[in-house]
Every structure is written in C-alpha cells, then in structure tokens.
C-alpha cells in the first residue's frame, strides 16, 4: 500500500517538474516579479503555522506557532503587494490604432471587476474569522466535525490556482490576472485551514494574522523598487524562521515518540530552515548596508564549513535512529543557525543575487519539509515550486555569467574575481572623453540609438533620466531601443523593473539575442552604468575571467558613449576593453548628473 510519505514524495517531485516547465517559460523581463511571487506563495507555510498556533499544544508550541503566523502572513501580504506593484509598472507602448476609447474603458472595467472581487474575498476572510471567534457553537462544531476531506479539496483547488498564477507570469499581459488567481488560491487555503479540526483557539491566530498583515502590508506598499533584493532576502529568512519554529515545536511535542520518517522530515526542516534563516538575514543586512558588504575570508574557511556540515549530518543521522536524543537535536539547530551565517560571510554584497536565489530555493525546501512534517500536501507543492524557481533562477544567472554552479555553491567568488582583476588591468590604449555639448551634437545627427543600462543606472537612480532622454530622442524621430542583458544589474530582471518604474514600455526593451544584430546598424550606443555586460574581452580574450560570457555587442555600433564615473571595473573586477575602442567616448560622472547636463545641452 502506498504510504503518506510516498504520496508526499510523488507530489513533491511532480510539482517540481511542473514548476520547472511553467517557470522556465517566464521571460527574463518578469524574473524579479517571479521571485517575489514565489516568495508570497511560499508564505503558504501559514496554513501549517495556523494549526500550530491554534491547536493549544502547550504554551511553547502556541508561541512558536504565533511567531510563525506573523512571519508567514508578512510574506504572503508583502509578497503579493510588491509583486502587484511591480507588475502594474509593466506597460506596453500605446499603439495609435488600438488606443481607442472602447479599449481603454474595457481595461479599466476589467480592473474594477478584479478590485471588487479582491475586496469581496478579503471581506469573506474577515467575516469567517469574526464568525468563528464570536460563536461558541461554531467553534465547538468545527473542533469536533471532521472537515479533512473538504479541506483537501480546498488545497487541491489552491494548488491549481498557484500553478495558473505562475503560468500567468509567462507574459506581462496576463501576469496580474495570474497573480490574482494565486492570491485567490492562498485565500482559499487559509480560510479552509481555519476550519481545521485541530484548531481550538483563535486568539493567537487573529493576533498573528493582523500583525503579519500590517508588517507585510507596510513593506509591500512602501519599500522602494531598489530595495527589492533585500526585501526578498528578508522574506526568505522569515519563511525559514517559520519552518524552523514549527519544526522545533513538533519535536518538543513528540520528542522520543517520533518515527524515523517524521524525524527525518523534522531534521531537514530545522536544518535547512535554520541555515536559510541566518544566511538570508546576513544577505539582507549586507544588501541594505547594515553589515559590511565585503567578503570576509579566513584560512581553512571551506574546510571548517564542510566539517560543520558533516557534524550536522551526523546529528541528523543519529537522531533518525534515536529520536529521543534531545540535546543532539538542539545542538543541530544551533549549528544550522551558525552554518547559515558562515555560509554567507565569505560572499561579497555584489554576489548576493545568486546567493539570494539559492536561499530562495532552500527556503522552498524548508517549506516542503514542513509540509512533510505536518503531512500538508499544499505546502509540499508550494515548497517544491519555490525551490524549483530559486534553483532555476540561480542556474540562469550562472549561465549568463559564464560561471559554474559549483563555483557559486562553494562561495567566495567575489574574492576570486578581485584577485584576477589585478592580473587583467593593463594599458590597452587611449581613452577618449566627451563633454555633454559634443554629445548633443552626436545625438543631432543620429537616426538610431540603442540604450544599454547597467548596474550604474540603478546606483545613480538614473532610470527616469534615461526614459526622459529616450522620449526626447523619439520626438525628434530617432529610433530608440533598449538592450537588456540577462544579468545586467544585481538581480534577474533588475533593469526591466527599474525601467518599468520609469514608465518605459516593455516592448521597447530587447533581450540580448534580439538586440545584438541591431548594434551594427545603430548610429549610437549609449551605455548607462553598464560595464561587464559590454566587455568585448568576453568574446576576444581567452585569458579574461569573463571569456565565454555572452555580452551585448556594443562595440559593433558606429559610435559608443559610456556614462560612468571612472575607469574602475564593474562586478567582475575586469578592465573593460571597450573603453579603449577608438569609436568609444566616455562622459565621466554620476549617470544622473550626466543625463541632466545632456538635457541642458540638447535644449541649448
Ligand atoms: P557592472 O559590470 O557591475 O558595472 C557597473 C558600473 O556602473 C561600474 O563599472 C561603475 O563604474 C558604474 N557606476 C556605479 N555607480 C555609478 C553611478 N552613480 N553613475 C554612473 N556609473 C556608475 O554592471 P553590469 O554591466 O550591469 O553587469 C552586471 C554584473 O553583475 C555582471 O558581471 C553580472 O555577472 C553580475 N551579476 C548580476 C546578477 C544579476 O542577476 N543581474 C547577479 C549576480 C551578479 P564607476 O565606478 O566607474 O562609476
């Protein structure tokens, strides 16, 4: 007979394959919203947390459940809100033929319907909560009635809605609608869980939901787009904390009575959850600038980390054969927390995006393990989806950076690159600089311009200036295109989100493979704070650490202008051969200031 564990494993595997299939169709344009959407969905750990908080299994269990409810609901509310904020920014350029009044009114009509539906659903949740809380009869009924089969159907429907939600992300046109379906799925799962037969008290649940919604709501509404990477890291840490606390509470409750299967699941849950919690917190701190961003390395770092990992595995194996070894369990949790911290300290802030994606994947695994512990299939599904999404994005980033997954997994690459940089910097010729007035003359004679944004645009917050410049040029009849490299900036889809924020229609953004053939025809390539993604050494110089990385072929344009502050290298620490190209002119300075000066020159 098939056991619950086998069913769980089948579900985990199939959800992973399905997730891979659906997520690999999400275009790079929507990779950042994808990250926050899977984050929000992984907040499904809320369903497990609600049961632990409301089941009255003792003060410690209730308290841990309460904290887990706060963490998970923060992720759900914050994740969905910020995803929606991002998706709202992705607009298509209005086409004169289609921009009829009928079209506009139908779109706003559509939006009104969605808004009303969302409001109705939230009201439904609030009413359900008040009703159960107020009515003793209802509480008594639900605590005795076995609604497990009904709940299973709720979860099946939620899982289908999550998959449809992710499928919506395959196009900006359907992305918001898809997310609405995912939100609906979450709501159904949460409302359904409120009727779980183990829940006997609602005080902590309501408190946790209100607090989490307030924290998540404020984060989702007010966090600036530039802080999305650190918000994502923070959200992974909250999800992982929820999983760890639920794992500890389950162990505390059952201890030596646990079977091998359950002990294995709890072990994985607290191990992955613990290291993801501290690792993600470190990542968020580094990205926010609260902690020093530079990699911290010391002799024997990899050896000590691997030894620590080995001790944790030993604890887990021992616990599986002897679950009553409580001291070993708590030692394992403490070591996992320490391991997460040690895993991230050797990695520089600039490398954090790959780490964040990996931690995303770990957070998904912790969530899935929690699903195995509580035998909650919806958690197994979303954990698997989240894990797949994080893993896939990490792989895509590695591929686009021409770096092996092993290199990423064993960290400290920020340091390696700095060492290589020393070797790479050597004189390559003369660098020409340009002033804004000369640049304005070049724009006057150009018929086609390709704008290449990079990390420097994000640092300078120059996306609005870039968008304004493009509008001015287009008004003059110049053909303007944006060239987007898959790893420009510091997270997948970074440039897309920033340009969308500056109202650049997404159909003006071209991916690397699409735009490269156009460079040879372009009169001018304007590089705004991009560096590595334009370095011809990636094509020509076998000794360069960048060799093999696909790049934007800016060097093929008839003229090139680069806006950056100095000749300093970018993320990879490699000197850029492009700057010594006779066609290339440098406008030194902060990109936003340079654009302002250029506007003034264009006007005069
Ligand atoms: P980059 O190679 O890191 O270069 C950014 C450039 O921006 C720097 O050379 C810097 O030069 C300039 N800059 C910084 N502040 C500026 C300001 N205020 N105004 C003007 N310029 C400024 O960036 P990229 O070309 O976008 O390439 C991204 C790199 O990050 C790649 O190596 C990629 O592999 C890596 N990466 C990306 C991701 C991702 O998911 N997107 C993830 C991990 C790693 P100055 O200091 O001279 O101004």
């Amino acid at each position: 007979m098939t056991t619950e564990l086998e069913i769980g494993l089948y579900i985990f595997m199939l959800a992973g394959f399905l997730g891979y299939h659906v997520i690999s169709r999400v275009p790079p344009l929507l990779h950042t919203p994808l990250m926050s959407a899977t984050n929000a969905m992984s907040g499904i750990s809320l369903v497990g947390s609600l049961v632990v908080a409301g089941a009255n299994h003792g003060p410690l269990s209730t308290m841990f459940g309460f904290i887990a409810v706060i963490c998970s609901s923060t992720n759900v509310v914050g994740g969905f809100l910020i995803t929606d904020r991002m998706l709202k920014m992705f607009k298509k350029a209005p086409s004169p033929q289609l921009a009829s009044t009928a079209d506009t009114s139908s779109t706003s009509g559509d939006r009104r319907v969605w808004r009303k539906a969302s409001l109705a659903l939230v009201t439904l949740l609030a009413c359900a909560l008040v009703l159960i809380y107020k009515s003793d009869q209802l509480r008594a009924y639900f605590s005795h009635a076995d609604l497990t089969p009904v709940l299973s159907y709720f979860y099946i429907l939620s899982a289908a809605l999550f998959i449809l939600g992710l499928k919506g992300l395959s196009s900006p046109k359907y992305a918001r609608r898809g997310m609405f379906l995912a939100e609906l799925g979450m709501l159904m799962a949460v409302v359904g869980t409120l009727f779980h037969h183990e829940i006997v008290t609602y005080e902590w649940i309501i408190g946790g939901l209100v607090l989490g919604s307030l924290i998540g709501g404020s984060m989702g509404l007010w966090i600036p787009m530039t802080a999305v990477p650190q918000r994502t890291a923070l959200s992974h840490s909250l999800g992982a904390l929820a999983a760890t606390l639920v794992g500890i509470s389950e162990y505390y409750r059952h201890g030596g009575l646990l079977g091998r299967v359950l002990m294995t699941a709890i072990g994985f849950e607290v191990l992955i959850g613990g290291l993801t919690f501290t690792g993600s917190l470190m990542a968020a701190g580094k990205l926010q600038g609260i902690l020093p961003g530079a990699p911290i390395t010391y002799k024997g770092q990899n050896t000590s980390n691997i030894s620590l990992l080995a001790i944790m595995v030993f604890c887990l194996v021992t616990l599986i054969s002897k679950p009553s070894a409580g001291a070993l369990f708590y030692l394992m949790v403490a070591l996992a927390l320490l391991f997460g911290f040690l895993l991230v300290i050797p990695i520089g802030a600039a490398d954090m995006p790959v780490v964040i994606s990996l931690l995303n994947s770990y957070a998904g695994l912790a969530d899935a393990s929690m699903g195995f512990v509580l035998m909650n299939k919806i958690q197994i599904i979303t954990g698997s989806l989240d894990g797949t999404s994080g893993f896939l994005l990490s792989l895509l980033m590695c591929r686009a950076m021409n770096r092996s997954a092993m290199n990423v997994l064993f960290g400290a690459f920020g340091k390696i690159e700095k060492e290589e940089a020393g070797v790479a910097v050597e004189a390559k010729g003369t660098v020409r600089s340009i002033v804004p007035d000369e640049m304005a003359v070049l724009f006057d004679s150009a018929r086609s311009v390709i704008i290449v944004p990079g990390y420097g645009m994000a640092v300078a917050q120059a996306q609005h200036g870039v968008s304004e410049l493009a509008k001015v040029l287009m008004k003059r009849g110049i053909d303007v295109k944006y060239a987007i490299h898959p790893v420009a900036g510091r997270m997948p889809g970074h440039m897309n989100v920033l340009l969308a924020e500056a109202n650049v229609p997404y159909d003006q953004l071209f991916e690397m493979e699409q735009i490269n053939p156009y460079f040879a025809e372009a009169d001018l390539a304007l590089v705004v704070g991009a560096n590595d993604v334009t370095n011809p050494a990636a094509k020509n110089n076998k000794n360069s650490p960048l060799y093999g990385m696909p790049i934007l072929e800016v060097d093929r344009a008839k003229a090139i202008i680069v806006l950056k502050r100095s000749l300093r290298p970018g993320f990879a620490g490699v000197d850029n051969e492009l700057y010594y190209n006779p066609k290339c002119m440098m406008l030194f300075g902060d990109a936003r200031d340079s654009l302002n000066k250029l506007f003034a020159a264009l006007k005069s």
Side-chain angles (χ1 to χ4, degrees):
M1 231 181 57
T2 324
T3 62
E4 277 278 292
L5 172 72
E6 282 173 83
I7 296 174
L9 286 171
Y10 278 130
I11 291 176
F12 178 75
M13 202 180 62
L14 290 176
F17 279 122
L18 186 62
Y20 186 89
H21 185 74
V22 175
I23 292 164
S24 55
R25 277 170 173 65
V26 177
L29 175 78
L30 295 176
H31 276 173
T32 305
L34 168 70
M35 261 182 148
S36 48
T38 49
N39 247 196
M41 287 182 210
S42 73
I44 193 77
S45 50
L46 184 55
V47 298
S49 315
L50 289 175
V51 178
V52 177
N56 216 355
H57 289 314
L60 184 106
S61 189
T62 307
M63 199 38 63
F64 278 9
F66 169 65
I67 300 173
V69 170
I70 299 178
C71 296
S72 309
S73 46
T74 302
N75 280 353
V76 171
V77 178
F80 278 127
L81 275 178
I82 203 146
T83 311
D84 193 57
R85 257 178 74 198
M86 276 189 243
L87 292 177
K88 257 196 267 184
M89 297 183 314
F90 286 93
K91 293 182 194 93
K92 220 174 168 181
S95 116
Q97 288 90 3
L98 290 176
S100 67
T101 358
D103 195 51
T104 329
S105 65
S106 92
T107 322
S108 59
D110 255 15
R111 257 185 230 140
R112 262 199 302 275
V113 172
W114 288 117
R115 220 171 287 150
K116 273 187 195 158
S118 327
L119 206 70
L121 287 169
V122 173
T123 318
L124 188 77
L125 172 66
C127 291
L129 270 172
V130 173
L131 220 75
I132 303 167
Y133 183 65
K134 285 276 175 202
S135 158
D136 290 339
Q137 274 166 324
L138 271 180
R139 281 159 76 170
Y141 171 75
F142 286 122
S143 57
H144 290 111
D146 184 11
L147 296 176
T148 317
V150 184
L151 200 54
S152 304
Y153 289 115
F154 263 65
Y155 288 163
I156 292 172
L157 213 62
S158 302
L161 290 171
F162 285 153
I163 305 271
L164 287 175
L166 287 175
K167 194 166 181 310
L169 284 178
S170 55
S171 152
K173 196 171 166 197
Y174 304 112
R176 283 192 78 200
R177 219 168 282 178
M179 275 309 104
F180 177 77
L181 293 179
E183 285 161 24
L184 184 63
M186 182 63 75
L187 199 72
M188 286 187 65
V190 172
V191 173
T193 309
L194 292 176
F195 300 101
H196 195 284
H197 67 279
E198 277 187 48
I199 298 182
V200 290
T201 163
Y202 286 88
E203 283 83 356
W204 293 104
I205 290 183
I206 295 177
L209 282 176
V210 171
L211 261 174
S213 307
L214 284 177
I215 302 170
S218 356
M219 273 165 69
L221 288 175
W222 291 302
I223 269 187
M225 285 300 142
T226 39
V228 167
Q230 42 269 52
R231 193 217 70 90
T232 310
L234 194 66
S235 148
H236 295 152
S237 78
L238 291 180
L241 177 64
T244 315
L245 291 179
V246 169
I248 297 176
S249 120
E250 288 301 291
Y251 182 81
Y252 180 77
R253 216 153 64 83
H254 303 290
L257 301 176
L258 285 169
R260 284 187 179 190
V261 172
L262 214 53
M263 188 62 241
T264 313
I266 291 183
F268 272 115
E269 183 183 358
V270 295
L271 258 185
I272 306 173
L275 74 91
T276 309
F277 169 56
T278 45
S280 303
L281 263 191
M282 282 286 295
K286 280 189 170 205
L287 286 168
Q288 187 60 31
I290 302 169
L291 297 172
I296 300 170
T297 50
Y298 48 87
K299 215 167 164 240
Q301 195 161 33
N302 277 345
T303 321
S304 61
N305 282 357
I306 290 171
S307 315
L308 195 59
L309 186 66
I311 301 175
M312 290 191 298
V313 174
F314 169 77
C315 291
L316 178 60
V317 174
T318 317
L319 274 164
I320 293 170
S321 55
K322 194 174 170 237
S324 59
L328 223 51
F329 177 81
Y330 296 108
L331 173 72
M332 185 175 77
V333 176
L335 291 181
L337 294 172
L338 176 69
F339 187 74
F341 171 75
L342 294 175
L343 196 72
V344 177
I345 58 164
I347 300 167
D351 304 272
M352 221 44 78
V354 188
V355 178
I356 290 177
S357 262
L358 276 177
L359 290 170
N360 183 3
S361 173
Y362 295 165
L365 291 182
D367 196 18
S369 311
M370 180 169 162
F372 278 102
V373 172
L374 304 174
M375 267 310 152
N376 188 326
K377 296 181 186 76
I378 184 84
Q379 271 188 261
I380 300 180
I381 294 175
T382 45
S384 178
L385 289 176
D386 197 24
T388 313
S389 155
F391 185 64
L392 197 72
L393 287 181
S394 312
L395 283 187
L396 287 177
M397 271 192 264
C398 290
R399 210 176 296 158
M401 289 190 291
N402 196 30
R403 199 182 255 142
S404 75
M406 289 306 267
N407 180 243
V408 170
L409 281 170
F410 290 101
F413 33 75
K415 186 172 171 280
I416 295 163
E417 271 132 20
K418 276 187 191 86
E419 281 159 6
E420 280 162 347
V423 183
V425 181
E426 31 175 272
K428 303 220 170 50
T430 326
V431 173
R432 286 172 67 195
S433 61
I434 190 172
V435 293
D437 288 333
E438 291 170 306
M439 204 168 146
V441 176
L442 275 175
F443 275 115
D444 272 340
S445 55
R447 301 292 1 118
S448 62
V449 173
I450 300 182
I451 300 177
V452 181
Y455 178 61
M457 181 184 83
V459 178
Q461 284 290 290
Q463 62 272 27
H464 296 280
V466 168
S467 149
E468 284 312 309
L469 175 68
K471 279 185 203 148
V472 170
L473 297 180
M474 280 192 245
K475 269 195 197 138
R476 293 181 174 198
I478 300 174
D479 174 50
V480 180
K481 291 185 175 73
Y482 292 83
I484 310 294
H485 191 280
V487 289
R490 289 293 182 267
M491 62 179 180
H494 198 176
M495 296 297 113
N496 303 90
V497 172
L498 291 180
L499 290 171
E501 190 193 9
N503 287 322
V504 176
Y506 63 80
D507 45 357
Q508 284 171 13
L509 311 183
F510 290 79
E511 284 170 29
M512 184 172 60
E513 294 78 15
Q514 295 172 307
I515 197 78
N516 270 342
Y518 287 100
F519 274 111
E521 294 160 21
D523 293 320
L524 197 60
L526 177 67
V527 180
V528 187
N531 190 345
D532 294 345
V533 298
T534 63
N535 194 337
K539 282 187 302 180
N540 316 326
N541 184 353
K542 281 200 172 148
N543 297 322
S544 168
L546 285 178
Y547 186 72
M549 168 173 156
I551 54 152
L552 291 167
E553 294 172 355
V554 173
D555 53 331
R556 294 174 64 209
K558 292 178 193 143
I560 308 150
I561 298 177
V562 178
L563 308 189
K564 76 196 286 283
R565 296 165 306 180
S566 65
L567 284 179
R568 271 196 302 271
F571 166 85
V574 180
D575 201 22
N576 195 342
E577 291 179 7
L578 182 73
Y579 308 149
Y580 307 97
N581 185 320
K583 290 189 285 184
C584 182
M585 290 151 277
M586 313 283 300
L587 179 59
F588 289 114
D590 174 81
R592 192 156 63 163
D593 290 348
S594 299
L595 284 169
N596 287 339
K597 286 179 192 150
L598 176 64
F599 280 127
L602 279 170
K603 271 189 198 145
S604 66

